[in-house]
Amino acid sequence: MSGKAAKIAYKPVGLLLGAGAGLISGLIFKQVWKVAGHDDDAPNATDEDRGWTEILLAAAIQGAIFAAVKATVDRAGAAGIRKATGQWPA
């Protein structure tokens, strides 16, 4: 299989993995936020009774978790495509 074919084969896999990464990172973030001693619910940017510091801290933690989970899932998916096709989906 050519590199182009491997890239095409990875497209639907990548979409599914991206959605899964979003779900997983959301669950991890909720647990991290609870363990950190904050409320059960993370603040939204429009929560009037939450301060800037809490909202920005929550956003930074959530973003870092999402980026790490997404990179892990994307890398594992690309490695799986290479194992299945013999080509890296670059």
Side-chain angles (χ1 to χ4, degrees), residues 42-58:
N44 292 321
T46 57
D47 286 348
E48 185 177 13
D49 56 336
R50 305 283 184 108
W52 279 93
T53 302
E54 185 179 17
I55 289 170
L56 294 178
L57 177 64

Side-chain angles (χ1 to χ4, degrees), residues 32-78:
V32 168
W33 192 253
K34 285 180 188 177
V35 170
H38 298 283
D39 296 335
D40 286 345
D41 294 325
N44 292 321
T46 57
D47 286 348
E48 185 177 13
D49 56 336
R50 305 283 184 108
W52 279 93
T53 302
E54 185 179 17
I55 289 170
L56 294 178
L57 177 64
I61 293 169
Q62 188 174 25
I65 290 171
F66 177 76
V69 170
K70 179 124 174 48
T72 301
V73 169
D74 285 347
R75 183 70 180 195

Side-chain angles (χ1 to χ4, degrees), residues 13-43:
V13 172
L15 289 173
L16 290 174
L17 292 175
L23 292 173
I24 292 167
S25 65
L27 295 172
I28 293 170
F29 171 68
K30 285 183 181 188
Q31 293 305 312
V32 168
W33 192 253
K34 285 180 188 177
V35 170
H38 298 283
D39 296 335
D40 286 345
D41 294 325

